Amino acid sequence: MNPTPLNPSPMSPAPMTDRKRAPMSDLSRRSFLAGAGLGLAGAATLAVTNLGTRLALAAPGSPQTGDTLVVVFLRGGADGLTIAPPYGYPSYRKLRPSIAIAPPGTADGALPLDKSNPNAAFPTGLAGVVGLHPAFKPIHDTLWREGKLAVIPATGLPPSESASRSHFSATRYVQAGSASTAVGGGWLARMINTMGVGGVIPAVDTSARSDLLRGGRGTAVIPSLGSFGVNGFPDRDRTATALRALHAGTDSIAGQGRTALDVAARVATLGTELRPGYPKGSLAKTFSELSSMLKAGLGIQAAVVDYGGWDMHSNLGTVGAGRFHDRATELAAALRAFADDTNGLDEITVLVMTEFGRTINENGSRGTDHGRGTTYLAMGAGIRGGVFGDDYPDEIADEPTYGDLAVLTDYRKLVAEIVTRRAGVSDLGVVFPTYRGSGSLGLTR
Amino acid sequence: MAGAGGSPTTQPATPGSSSTLSPAGTTPAAAAPSVVTPRAVAAPGILVANRITFGVTPAILSQIDQQGGGGFIDDQLARTGPDAEVEARLGALGMLRLNPSLASYNAVQGTGAARLRQEITLAAVTRAVASRHQLYEVMCHLWMDHFNLEVFNDGSARHLLVDYQEKVIRPNALGSFRNLLKATAHAPAMLAYLDNDTSNANSKQGINENYGRELLELHTLGIAPDGSQVYTEADVRAAAMAMTGWSTVSDRKAADFSAFVFRPQYHHTGDISLLNGAWIRGATQGQATGESLLEFLVTHPSTARHVARRICRRLVADNPPASLIESTAQVYLANDTQLVPTVRHVLNSAELAASGGQKLRRPFEHLAAMLRALGTVLPTDPASDGAVGLQRHLERTDHLPWSWPQPDGFPDTAAHWLNTGALLYRWSAAGQLAGNRIKGVQTDLGPLTAGGGTVGDLITRLATRFGLGPRTAEEVAAVAASVRKTPGDPADSIDPKLLPAIPGLLLTHPIFQTR
């Protein structure tokens, strides 16, 4: 394909009229957020305008929409060429003799990402260039059909930050949002810190394995609602009082301790049973609990789900079985249940990202080694379905040892668009202090 | 490296803004961050004792009283191997003696896998809690992290794990880094974990660079915190080339099945050089080429700094002072990679003396410290309720030995481990242990709470015993209130059912979370 010049549309205010009205339960969630964050004045504003917190919180002239941003991190370097296979590329079939995915319409073929879906947009001409691994059928059937799933192939760290192909460097960089050691904590944490308002729990990390929320104000790490409390002591209330006294200091342990006590008191009433429609498995349970927390009105603006196991140096597998199939199937089922449970991701944007992609060459163990370009997914009621990116390579480099998918879209370009247009951040420089790019892909509504 | 994302700092807490981790844009190495408040920092002897043990005990406190901190350091540095008395207690754990063989392989399949996990965990807890060679055990954990591997979930390599722990890491923990590095490079578990066993320079698909990369990045030269590194992608491939042929015996009928073997037919025979020719294979051939490369790497200045950084991060601070890393690297090189003089330099350094409050106990260390503080009787049967209960706590705090999936090892920074969920788990475990609520794990509160006097006296005695030092009047009153008393009430008037709350709460204290 020839490079297609991107024609970035200037950012326009989010169209308010085509946003579905939130059901009452979601409005009350947002009302709680406003009340907690703004005090009486904020709550009064909300009551007067009656426009929902999303609009009440927006600064004048800002395109703030205030989605909750859920980042799913595929730890290990997920193979973007298997998530979104470029099935028409000769090099793809040739260099992956046992793991390539067939074109749409054939047996075990990729799911189409083309103009057969009238709800999808292809602003840079990427219709039909890649498909989607068949394991993603649960979200292809719904979110893709409804125009709520954006696929961004050939993205990742820019060349200046991806030379080492180290898991640890790449993970640190994409989670910090910068390769500079002067930038501390995660980009999602800085997003939270710059937003200024927050409820009981501004941000939830479901495992503490990633750095995305490291340094985020009031971030609660909640691996499991069922065990999020203090037990083992004879007198629960007196214990909580004493713990608070022991954690009265100004140090970081005391601060985390007070947050833990506040959050534990608030989530103690939430049900811990699996919500209807979720499959078995720990990832689905995580999303079920996240949904419970979102519906409880805790003011959650960001959440992280760390989902590992993508470092598939061997036995990546076929369409119907194997390591990739198993991981992607569990991921797609959990995302589908979460979307169904949240009125089609209303006021929620989900970003699925990873640290790097993998080599075009299948290695001797039927897996792939460390590469650079990969595929990100974004989905939500405020996401415009389609395939986005500055471009896709004409050919995937076939060097004897280093061949991989080039990064043609800096990951921060799409994340920046999401945090400004969906999460409501106005000061992008705080979130990505070393990012010098501009323009947007147009994947947000 | 994982865990290098943020750094803890001490900041005034504001209501509703409880996290005091590093705000946006700060330089991790800029300040001297403190995990606990400076007022809480222990006396020098206690500080260094906390750094080189899994928690102080009355015996250690009394030894420091008599010999001073320096005397305690010297005593610990002289104990360069395991505590024979504790090792004898572990004699019944037969899986700790598994060697690379088909019999071992068969022993850890099916239900054997769970048994292996239980034995490894109970051995780790017992050694950390009971060994009098505390610094040695601390160093074992340091190298388990530095040369981490995760083969438990790989049935074909699982049986190699104890051989790696018992014959590769532990014998070299306070020896020389040279021997340690070479032992890991020859270890079947490492070669299997990082795919070097199948890396074949003469196959159509080519080499597997996994081990070569981590050998340079994690084990030796390292990537500095500022992202700088002395090696290139080409060096990674060259290292992988040099190590081709370092493999394991795949013939199941062989007596030494899965032991180390050099496979000449896998080996790259052409020229190899690293770091712009700073190392070349020269006249070496076959396995000798890899040995030559390891010899070159182990005394490279970047390796010295990388190893020094790892030691200082363990013993001094999450972001150790550059001055200390540099001086420690010099001692490492001047002593031909010997670890005792290197560690001695760190322990006697001014930087360590000034580093109070800067190291968080990781979950395993917090558990061991609680068990030491309480004098809990450890279970001896690895499948017992008690042992399984302790293992469950380590599982849910994400710090079960040998369960970190990546080759960089468990993070050693507060930023990774300090969070709301983790604190709740710690608090609950403190209450459960003090209250004897983990079936099969017995703590006798009698000796701990004997001594009469007032409730306040009791709290102060326990706080001192646990290494917290005397507590403020407010904290003493708050702990007393948890058992429905005031500090002036007689200690023997406390309801025995409520009594466990006193030691339990002291084990939740922010200072007890640090070392």
Side-chain angles (χ1 to χ4, degrees), chain B residues 322-341:
Chain B
S323 59
L324 183 61
I325 293 170
E326 205 53 45
S327 64
T328 304
Q330 293 308 318
V331 174
Y332 167 94
L333 291 173
N335 288 276
D336 196 25
T337 85
Q338 288 293 324
L339 294 168
V340 166

Side-chain angles (χ1 to χ4, degrees), chain A residues 4-27:
Chain A
T4 311
L6 178 71
N7 181 24
S9 55
M11 284 193 191
S12 56
M16 296 168 187
T17 49
D18 68 351
R19 293 275 297 149
K20 273 186 291 184
R21 292 262 47 86
M24 277 313 293
S25 61
D26 281 350
L27 274 182

Side-chain angles (χ1 to χ4, degrees), chain A residues 164 166 168 181-182 185 190 209 214 221 227 229 231-233 235 238 243 245 250-253 255 258-259 362 364 401-402, chain B residues 5 11 13 18 20 24-26 28 35 205 213 217 225-226 233 237 398 415 419-421 425 427-428 431-432 481 484:
Chain A
S164 85
S166 150
F168 317 109
T181 55
R190 291 194 302 277
R209 291 200 178 98
R214 201 83 67 200
V221 174
S227 58
N231 56 57
F233 286 88
D235 183 328
R238 285 171 189 274
L243 282 167
T250 57
D251 54 274
S252 52
I253 297 174
R258 289 193 300 275
T259 301
E362 175 182 330
T401 51
Y402 301 114
Chain B
Q11 297 177 336
S18 298
T20 58
T26 58
V35 176
Q205 296 291 350
R213 176 184 301 280
E217 176 177 342
D226 66 2
E233 277 295 292
R237 297 207 43 96
D398 278 341
N419 62 70
T420 52
Y425 286 143
W427 297 347
S428 295
Q432 288 162 359
R484 302 175 197 176

